[in-house]
C-alpha cells in the first residue's frame, strides 16, 4: 500500500487501483472500483503478527480471482471445511500454571495503590480454578471475575463492557490476567502482577485506541495491613 494525502485527508492506495480506510487492529474498508467491490473487515489483530497482511492476501489471492457475473458453483467440500473451522473457533486462554506456592498467602489481601484509577486492589483465588480481581474505584468495589485455564465472562468496570477473562501464574511470583473485550470495543486490557514481600508491582496495558486510558501504566501496591 502507498500512503497519500490531499485536502487534509490521509488515505492508502491499494493494489488493483483501489483505496482503503485503515483502522486500528484489522478494521478496514477496502474499495476496488474497477471490480465494483467494497470489503469491510472488523477484527482485533493487534496481538497476531502478520495478520493484517493476511487479510489483504486473502482478498487478492482468493476473493478477487473468484469474482464472476455468474453464481459460483456449489462447493460442498469447501463448505464443510468452513463449517468445521467456524464451529471450533474459540478465544485464547492465558497460558501458565494453575497455582503458585505464594497463591494462598496472596489471596484476599488488600493492597493500597497510588496514582491509579483505583486506590485499593485485592485478588481472591478459588479452589475451582476461578478467581476475582477487586478494584476499589470511586468509593465502591468493582469486580472482574477470571478463570484459570478457562474463561470467565463478566463486565469490565467503569465502561460496563462485556468481556471474557482468564489468568495464570507465569512464574511463582507473577500472575497475569487478560480481559478480552467482546462488546462495543473488540480489544483487550492486560494486568501483569509481580509480588514480593508485602507489595506488588502492576503493569496495566490496554489495546483500545481511544478509551480505557485509566488502565494503562505501571503502579505499586502495598499491603494495607502493614500501615
Amino acid at each position: 500500500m502507498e500512503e497519500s494525502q490531499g485536502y487534509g485527508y490521509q488515505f492508502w492506495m491499494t493494489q488493483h487501483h483501489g483505496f482503503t480506510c485503515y483502522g486500528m487492529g484489522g478494521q478496514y474498508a477496502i474499495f476496488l472500483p474497477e471490480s465494483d467491490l467494497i470489503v469491510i473487515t472488523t477484527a482485533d489483530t493487534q496481538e497476531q503478527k502478520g495478520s493484517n497482511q493476511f487479510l489483504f492476501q486473502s482478498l487478492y489471492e482468493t476473493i478477487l480471482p473468484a469474482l464472476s457475473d455468474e453464481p459460483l458453483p456449489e462447493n460442498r467440500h469447501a463448505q464443510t471445511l468452513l463449517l468445521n473451522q467456524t464451529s471450533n473457533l474459540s478465544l485464547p486462554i492465558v497460558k501458565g500454571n494453575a497455582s503458585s506456592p505464594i497463591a494462598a498467602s496472596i489471596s484476599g489481601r488488600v493492597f493500597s495503590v497510588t496514582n491509579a484509577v483505583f486506590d485499593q486492589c485485592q485478588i481472591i483465588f478459588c479452589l475451582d480454578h476461578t478467581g476475582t480481581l477487586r478494584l476499589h474505584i470511586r468509593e465502591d468495589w468493582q469486580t472482574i471475575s477470571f478463570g484459570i485455564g478457562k474463561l470467565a465472562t463478566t463486565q469490565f468496570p467503569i465502561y460496563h463492557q462485556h468481556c471474557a477473562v482468564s489468568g495464570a501464574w507465569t512464574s511463582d511470583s507473577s500472575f497475569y490476567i487478560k480481559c478480552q473485550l467482546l462488546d462495543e470495543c473488540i480489544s483487550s486490557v492486560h494486568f501483569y502482577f509481580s509480588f514480593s514481600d508485602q507489595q506488588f508491582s502492576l503493569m496495566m496495558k490496554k489495546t483500545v485506541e481511544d478509551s480505557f486510558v485509566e488502565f494503562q501504566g505501571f503502579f505499586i501496591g502495598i499491603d494495607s495491613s502493614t500501615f
Side-chain angles (χ1 to χ4, degrees):
M1 296 189 297
E2 295 182 359
E3 181 181 3
S4 302
Q5 292 183 346
Y7 301 103
Y9 294 96
Q10 185 178 54
F11 58 95
W12 294 81
M13 302 300 296
T14 73
Q15 300 178 31
H16 304 280
H17 309 289
F19 60 96
T20 182
C21 299
Y22 187 100
M24 183 177 182
Q27 321 300 319
Y28 290 107
I30 306 169
F31 304 86
L32 300 175
E34 293 183 356
S35 300
D36 193 26
L37 179 67
I38 299 175
V39 177
I40 307 295
T41 67
T42 57
D44 180 16
T45 61
Q46 297 173 82
E47 299 176 25
Q48 303 175 41
K49 186 177 180 180
S51 54
N52 287 347
Q53 185 60 34
F54 175 77
L55 293 174
F56 281 94
Q57 288 176 339
S58 299
L59 171 60
Y60 295 140
E61 298 175 6
T62 303
I63 297 176
L64 275 183
L67 291 180
S68 171
D69 293 332
E70 300 296 327
L72 293 174
E74 183 178 10
N75 188 333
R76 293 186 177 181
H77 176 66
Q79 184 179 25
T80 299
L81 291 176
L82 178 61
L83 290 174
N84 288 339
Q85 183 172 358
T86 55
S87 64
N88 292 317
L89 290 177
S90 62
L91 291 170
I93 297 173
V94 171
K95 296 181 180 180
N97 297 320
S99 189
S100 161
I102 70 168
S105 62
I106 294 299
S107 183
R109 288 164 60 183
V110 177
F111 294 86
S112 296
V113 185
T114 58
N115 301 321
V117 64
F118 50 91
D119 58 7
Q120 289 181 307
C121 175
Q122 181 186 48
I123 299 181
I124 301 173
F125 297 105
C126 302
L127 296 177
D128 61 349
H129 297 299
T130 64
T132 302
L133 172 62
R134 302 181 71 234
L135 307 175
H136 192 253
I137 302 173
R138 300 171 186 170
E139 301 183 352
D140 193 15
W141 283 99
Q142 305 284 341
T143 63
I144 300 175
S145 301
F146 59 85
I148 302 177
K150 57 186 177 181
L151 292 167
T153 56
T154 187
Q155 278 199 335
F156 199 89
I158 299 179
Y159 293 91
H160 305 295
Q161 297 260 331
H162 292 290
C163 58
V165 191
S166 62
W169 290 93
T170 56
S171 72
D172 284 350
S173 60
S174 300
F175 192 76
Y176 167 38
I177 298 174
K178 179 179 181 180
C179 303
Q180 300 174 89
L181 303 173
L182 308 172
D183 210 305
E184 179 182 349
C185 295
I186 303 176
S187 197
S188 56
V189 181
H190 307 256
F191 298 84
Y192 302 89
F193 290 91
S194 181
F195 297 94
S196 61
D197 298 327
Q198 301 299 315
Q199 68 177 31
F200 69 70
S201 60
L202 167 63
M203 186 179 75
M204 294 191 295
K205 177 184 177 182
K206 57 96 176 180
T207 59
V208 189
E209 184 173 12
D210 56 359
S211 57
F212 289 79
V213 293
E214 303 94 339
F215 298 92
Q216 179 90 1
F218 181 83
F219 306 94
I220 298 294
I222 301 175
D223 192 336
S224 299
S225 64
T226 62
F227 291 110

